[in-house]
Amino acid sequence: MKKIFLFIIFLIILIIKFSNCDRLVFVGESKNQLFLNKTNWNPEKVPTKDDSLFLSNGGNILIDYDDICYSEYISINDGIIYLYGQYSIFNSMDLNKGSIFIENGAILNVENSINVRNHFEITNKLQILSPNLKNTTISTNNFIIGDIGVLNIYEKSEVFLNCYNLEINNNGLVNVENNSKFNLNGGLIMKDKSEIIFNNNSNIEINGDTKLMNQSQIKIENKVELLIFESLNLNDDSKLSLFDNIEMTIYDDLILNGNSEILVNNKSEMSFYGDLKINDNSKMVINGMESVINIVNDFYCSKYSELKIKKSSFNSWGNSEFNGKIEFISCDFNLHQFTTLNNSEIFGIDSVFKSHSSLIINNNTSMKIENSIIYSYDDLIINGEFVTNSTTVYIEGGNSILQNSSKINLKHSIFIINKGNLIIDPNSLINLENSKFILDNGIVKTLGNLYLNNNSSFEINKNGIYNLSSGGIYYTNDINIKTNNISLKNDGIFNIDNDNVEINISFINNGGGGGNGGGGGNGNGNNSKTQLNINNHTIYIYEFRNENGSELNLNGGTLSSDNSILLNGGSIKGNGNINSTIIQNSGEFGSSISVNNFNIIGDFIQSNDSSSKIIIIIDSFYSFSTINISKLADINGIIIIKINENLLNIKNNSESSLSSSSSSSSSSSSSSSSKSNEKTVLELFNYDSKTSNSFSKIKFATYDSKGNEKEFEGGSSCVDSKVSSTSFSVLIDVNDCFPHDNKVNSLSVGAIVGIVIGCAIIAIIIMSIIHYRERARFLGMLAKARLSKISKKLSRK
């Protein structure tokens, strides 16, 4: 019963409503007939909010300033409404073949929709005549423009459209002109080749989602500011175009689907606070002079998409994933978060590319950069191909890794590591043509190959550490081709960490740096020397020169070369093999503080320059430096033989020690110590032959545990040298080795004891004499005092 009762009440309300609702047809004959004039309607009546109105046959209606008009519905089939006042429509409006012109007017309370199929214009030309009506407001659930319908908002207008959606269909057009403001408090849907044009210093705000479909487009021209507070979606060949100083901000996602496109020109700026996604076959083209693209959240472009940037800036503060075709010309490219390049073809020219976080170049990606500058401030992982031409690459931090047969090809370029690590995995490579590789401050570990073609160079500066673990450094891809026209200049630390590595170019151990690392491949140790450290491994170097204050350290390793090893400065020391002739023009061969042992498969040619020195350490009869030369010994310079002073200052060396030392080899060398006529013979040099002037400049010195050195003359009964046709030896007789330059007769222990006892007896005698002398003096004084006392007593009597 209750349901039936409610249904009856509902029917009564409908009957009352429809009984008050009239269908009014406009019958006015002249132009600008007043809406509120009842004679213009049939039946005659002033329209109310319950009436449906029909305007046709060229009718012309005027809603004047301060007029407040109502209807439930209006249909304009062939007519015009001039709206200067306020018009409330409580259901819907249909503009078919008619038009509506609004000047500071308002359409309010449209509960259903406004359908524009012809012409809808909003102007503010008469603003000065109505200072109290500055804004045009339209309120409706849906505002629909279709069938070639037009919404014109003329210059200096302010329009507030409150609706659930503004829908533009079937070639519909919205045109917002000079210095106007359009505020859409709702969504925007564009279909079927519809179009919106914003231009000339206008200000646009859209407070809902915006969707473009079916070849629709938005054109924004000449100093327009566009704000979209929800997402923008372009689908189905839709297009967004920005021309001349446009400022566009989207506070949610911008998504391109299908074959849609964004075109940006001439000093425009686009900012996205959500994601920017270029899907399918869509593309984004930024051709503008000094245009700026800012992406606060994530960026993504698909495998078949296209991104072109010219004379502009691209800034991404979120994660970025690039696929498809990427091209940037004369622009700044800034990536602030994790970035991956997948299935991409990337080309850049005349640009600055900065990666502030991890950058990964994956398989099937080709990156070609020309005449540009690249900065990598964090990890750079390359799994694909990276090609530069006339470009400078700065590695400013993180780990740069070439993985999985990846390649870096540098042409007329510079690759600089200022900070961080570079790791070249097996089967990966760096190829230089007319380019420079500079390790300024960081660590490089190579398991793959480095190729230096055609006037390329490789520099390791004072704070650089290079660890060659496998592979090699070559001139060309044909590793059998060798040259000294290409050089590797080392001012830092170069470590050989594996066997059978090759350097098929010239290696200059330059010694111009201060160094921050050390030998042994661990980056610690000597803090002042440029070093090449061969750590128990074998290396081939086509040509090697040691210059200035640099060091070649053979830590049990082997150095082979097709050319003579040139020692022009610095030092060569350690223990190991050199499979080449050594030419010493300057510098030191051997260590000043430790025993060294060398096997030289070749000649040893030492100049007679005063700066050319060979240093031999004799620490004991069983530990001393040796040099074994398989061919000619042409030793014309200075040989400094340093002997542990403890060896010379111990008189009674045990025969067992001497016997032991004479039968053992010196360290790992083939030279030995032996006894000859009570002298111990230490073979320091062995050779196949020698020149007549060899071994003519011998200097001897002792050293102590604190490193203090003291020169002394050789050739005495204590220390002497001996040269034969195949060896050079030192002869030491410790029995005669007591201070040479401080000649003082040594006293026996008994003599010393006698002297001490005699001095003690003399001291006792002297003390006794003094004691008895003082005692006699005291007794004399006492006797004199007594005599004086007795004399006084006698005088009184």
Side-chain angles (χ1 to χ4, degrees):
M1 291 294 296
K2 184 177 180 180
K3 292 182 180 180
I4 295 174
F5 177 74
L6 292 174
F7 179 71
I8 293 172
I9 293 176
F10 177 71
L11 289 177
I12 293 172
I13 293 173
L14 289 177
I15 291 170
I16 295 173
K17 177 178 176 65
F18 285 109
S19 64
N20 294 325
C21 177
D22 291 324
R23 185 176 185 275
L24 303 182
V25 178
F26 182 77
V27 293
E29 296 180 356
S30 62
K31 292 184 178 181
N32 297 332
Q33 298 297 306
L34 293 175
F35 184 95
L36 296 177
N37 187 345
K38 64 179 182 180
T39 62
N40 290 324
W41 301 98
N42 182 25
E44 286 189 3
K45 179 183 178 181
V46 176
T48 68
K49 64 179 182 179
D50 297 319
D51 296 327
S52 296
L53 309 183
F54 296 88
L55 177 60
S56 59
N57 300 322
N60 196 314
I61 297 176
L62 172 64
I63 300 177
D64 211 346
Y65 301 106
D66 299 328
D67 286 350
I68 299 176
C69 304
Y70 306 93
S71 72
E72 181 186 32
Y73 168 80
I74 184 169
S75 174
I76 305 174
N77 293 310
D78 183 13
I80 301 174
I81 293 181
Y82 294 92
L83 177 58
Y84 302 98
Q86 178 177 311
Y87 182 23
S88 296
I89 303 169
F90 291 91
N91 193 334
S92 61
M93 170 189 284
D94 287 323
L95 276 73
N96 297 315
K97 295 181 180 180
S99 301
I100 182 168
F101 296 88
I102 302 179
E103 296 180 4
N104 290 328
I107 299 177
L108 305 174
N109 304 320
V110 181
E111 295 179 359
N112 193 354
S113 62
I114 296 177
N115 297 289
V116 180
R117 296 185 179 84
N118 191 15
H119 203 72
F120 194 113
E121 294 191 9
I122 300 173
T123 182
N124 199 27
K125 293 179 180 179
L126 302 177
Q127 177 179 357
I128 193 169
L129 300 177
S130 56
N132 295 325
L133 294 174
K134 294 182 179 179
N135 300 328
T136 297
T137 302
I138 300 173
S139 297
T140 179
N141 280 348
N142 293 290
F143 195 109
I144 303 172
I145 300 174
D147 300 329
I148 319 180
V150 178
L151 169 62
N152 285 319
I153 302 175
Y154 291 118
E155 60 181 329
K156 297 181 181 180
S157 297
E158 294 186 17
V159 177
F160 298 87
L161 176 56
N162 301 309
C163 62
Y164 183 75
N165 278 312
L166 168 60
E167 186 175 323
I168 309 172
N169 300 314
N170 195 15
N171 294 289
L173 173 65
V174 173
N175 183 35
V176 181
E177 295 189 355
N178 309 341
N179 298 290
S180 294
K181 182 176 181 179
F182 179 58
N183 188 315
L184 173 59
N185 191 18
L188 172 62
I189 299 175
M190 300 179 64
K191 302 178 181 177
D192 305 322
K193 298 182 181 180
S194 57
E195 185 176 1
I196 293 179
I197 301 174
F198 301 131
N199 54 39
N200 298 334
N201 297 292
S202 295
N203 182 284
I204 314 299
E205 292 186 12
I206 301 175
N207 291 287
D209 292 330
T210 300
K211 298 179 181 179
L212 281 69
M213 296 175 281
N214 309 117
Q215 301 181 46
S216 298
Q217 63 176 322
I218 296 177
K219 292 181 180 179
I220 310 173
E221 301 174 349
N222 194 18
K223 297 182 180 179
V224 172
E225 182 180 0
L226 172 61
L227 302 176
I228 300 177
F229 290 92
E230 301 293 339
S231 63
L232 172 60
N233 288 268
L234 280 70
N235 304 281
D236 311 322
D237 301 300
S238 296
K239 187 174 183 180
L240 172 65
S241 302
L242 286 70
F243 300 93
D244 301 324
N245 295 285
I246 307 301
E247 185 175 342
M248 178 178 179
T249 304
I250 301 175
Y251 289 94
D252 206 330
D253 299 340
L254 169 59
I255 300 176
L256 285 71
N257 296 312
N259 293 294
S260 55
E261 179 180 356
I262 293 180
L263 177 63
V264 182
N265 289 284
N266 298 343
K267 296 184 179 181
S268 296
E269 182 173 352
M270 299 181 71
S271 298
F272 311 105
Y273 288 88
D275 297 341
L276 171 56
K277 296 182 179 180
I278 306 175
N279 297 321
D280 305 324
N281 294 294
S282 299
K283 63 181 179 179
M284 185 174 188
V285 180
I286 305 169
N287 289 323
M289 294 285 292
E290 301 177 17
S291 292
V292 179
I293 306 300
N294 297 312
I295 307 167
V296 175
N297 211 15
D298 296 342
F299 172 82
Y300 170 83
C301 56
S302 69
K303 181 177 180 180
Y304 301 104
S305 65
E306 187 174 340
L307 174 64
K308 293 183 178 181
I309 308 171
K310 183 177 181 181
K311 296 181 180 180
S312 301
S313 295
F314 183 94
N315 305 302
S316 175
W317 279 270
N319 296 330
S320 300
E321 181 180 342
F322 292 86
N323 298 275
K325 187 175 182 180
I326 316 295
E327 181 179 298
F328 46 93
I329 301 172
S330 302
C331 72
D332 290 332
F333 209 90
N334 296 288
L335 305 170
H336 292 271
Q337 292 296 329
F338 183 83
T339 301
T340 57
L341 309 179
N342 298 317
N343 301 303
S344 301
E345 182 182 342
I346 301 173
F347 175 75
I349 187 171
D350 299 325
S351 299
V352 177
F353 185 98
K354 295 181 180 180
S355 175
H356 297 271
S357 188
S358 297
L359 172 63
I360 298 178
I361 303 174
N362 282 328
N363 292 329
N364 302 317
T365 294
S366 174
M367 188 172 183
K368 299 179 180 179
I369 311 296
E370 294 184 3
N371 199 32
S372 299
I373 301 175
I374 299 173
Y375 295 91
S376 175
Y377 294 95
D378 206 329
D379 295 346
L380 172 62
I381 312 298
I382 300 176
N383 290 307
E385 184 178 12
F386 181 70
V387 179
T388 70
N389 191 354
S390 301
T391 293
T392 301
V393 180
Y394 292 97
I395 303 299
E396 299 290 346
N399 294 310
S400 299
I401 304 175
L402 277 70
Q403 297 178 337
N404 302 324
S405 301
S406 56
K407 298 178 182 179
I408 294 180
N409 288 306
L410 307 173
K411 296 181 179 180
H412 304 282
S413 297
I414 303 174
F415 192 94
I416 303 176
I417 302 174
N418 285 325
K419 186 179 179 181
N421 303 319
L422 171 63
I423 300 174
I424 305 175
D425 281 354
N427 301 317
S428 296
L429 62 88
I430 297 179
N431 186 67
L432 287 78
E433 293 186 18
N434 295 291
S435 298
K436 290 183 178 181
F437 186 100
I438 301 174
L439 174 55
D440 189 60
N441 187 354
I443 300 175
V444 174
K445 181 177 181 179
T446 58
L447 300 166
N449 294 335
L450 180 66
Y451 299 97
L452 289 83
N453 301 272
N454 303 331
N455 299 315
S456 295
S457 64
F458 183 1
E459 299 176 10
I460 304 173
N461 292 336
K462 63 180 182 180
N463 293 317
I465 301 175
Y466 195 99
N467 298 316
L468 183 57
S469 298
S470 66
I473 300 174
Y474 300 102
Y475 174 50
T476 67
N477 292 333
D478 185 350
I479 62 176
N480 294 314
I481 299 177
K482 306 167 186 177
T483 183
N484 56 7
N485 294 324
I486 304 295
S487 63
L488 186 166
K489 187 176 75 171
N490 178 38
D491 287 315
I493 308 297
F494 198 105
N495 297 310
I496 307 301
D497 290 338
N498 208 339
D499 284 328
N500 300 318
V501 293
E502 293 184 337
I503 299 177
N504 283 356
I505 59 174
S506 176
F507 189 115
I508 303 173
N509 217 26
N510 194 54
N516 73 338
N522 56 13
N524 299 308
N526 193 317
N527 291 320
S528 61
K529 296 291 186 180
T530 296
Q531 297 175 350
L532 169 60
N533 300 304
I534 304 175
N535 305 308
N536 295 307
H537 299 298
T538 299
I539 182 173
Y540 168 86
I541 300 177
Y542 177 66
E543 180 182 86
F544 178 81
R545 298 195 338 246
N546 209 75
E547 306 280 355
N548 303 316
S550 60
E551 293 181 355
L552 166 59
N553 295 308
L554 287 176
N555 301 318
T558 298
L559 170 61
S560 299
S561 179
D562 288 351
N563 295 281
S564 297
I565 303 297
L566 299 180
L567 177 55
N568 296 328
S571 62
I572 296 177
K573 50 192 172 182
N575 298 281
N577 304 312
I578 298 177
N579 295 332
S580 177
T581 290
I582 294 178
I583 299 177
Q584 182 181 8
N585 297 311
S586 182
E588 297 179 353
F589 190 90
S591 171
S592 297
I593 59 175
S594 62
V595 172
N596 288 183
N597 302 108
F598 293 99
N599 294 310
I600 300 171
I601 312 303
D603 301 334
F604 193 135
I605 301 172
Q606 182 193 27
S607 73
N608 60 4
D609 191 276
S610 61
S611 63
S612 180
K613 300 174 183 178
I614 296 174
I615 300 176
I616 299 293
I617 298 293
I618 301 176
D619 193 54
S620 68
F621 289 132
Y622 51 86
S623 177
F624 52 90
S625 300
T626 60
I627 300 175
N628 296 315
I629 305 167
S630 68
K631 295 183 180 179
L632 175 68
D634 186 7
I635 309 300
N636 301 297
I638 298 171
I639 300 176
I640 300 175
I641 300 173
K642 297 182 179 182
I643 304 173
N644 187 342
E645 69 172 10
N646 294 329
L647 186 64
L648 302 183
N649 289 339
I650 300 175
K651 178 178 174 65
N652 297 314
N653 291 279
S654 65
E655 291 298 326
S656 59
S657 296
L658 293 176
S659 175
S660 173
S661 64
S662 65
S663 62
S664 62
S665 65
S666 172
S667 189
S668 61
S669 72
S670 60
S671 296
S672 64
S673 62
S674 62
K675 292 185 64 178
S676 175
N677 296 326
E678 300 301 327
K679 290 188 176 183
T680 302
V681 179
L682 305 179
E683 288 187 359
L684 306 181
F685 287 80
N686 284 284
Y687 39 82
D688 181 66
S689 61
K690 72 174 186 65
T691 58
S692 59
N693 294 325
S694 292
F695 304 104
S696 61
K697 298 178 181 179
I698 310 299
K699 292 184 178 182
F700 291 94
T702 61
Y703 66 91
D704 61 20
S705 59
K706 296 181 179 180
N708 299 315
E709 296 183 4
K710 195 173 193 179
E711 290 190 11
F712 68 92
E713 292 294 330
S716 66
S717 59
C718 172
V719 177
D720 198 359
S721 61
K722 177 182 178 182
V723 181
S724 72
S725 61
T726 59
S727 68
F728 171 83
S729 304
V730 167
L731 292 75
I732 300 175
D733 185 354
V734 295
N735 293 313
D736 290 330
C737 290
F738 292 95
H740 299 275
D741 38 358
N742 293 329
K743 291 279 185 182
V744 179
N745 290 327
S746 300
L747 297 177
S748 67
V749 174
I752 293 173
V753 172
I755 291 171
V756 172
I757 294 173
C759 290
I761 292 171
I762 292 170
I764 292 171
I765 293 170
I766 292 172
M767 292 300 293
S768 298
I769 292 170
I770 294 172
H771 172 73
Y772 285 110
R773 180 182 176 186
E774 290 297 321
R775 182 178 177 84
R777 179 172 169 271
F778 176 74
L779 291 174
M781 292 176 63
L782 183 61
K784 185 178 181 181
R786 288 179 177 176
L787 288 173
S788 178
K789 187 175 180 182
I790 294 170
S791 176
K792 287 180 180 181
K793 287 181 180 182
L794 291 174
S795 65
R796 290 192 190 111
K797 292 179 177 180

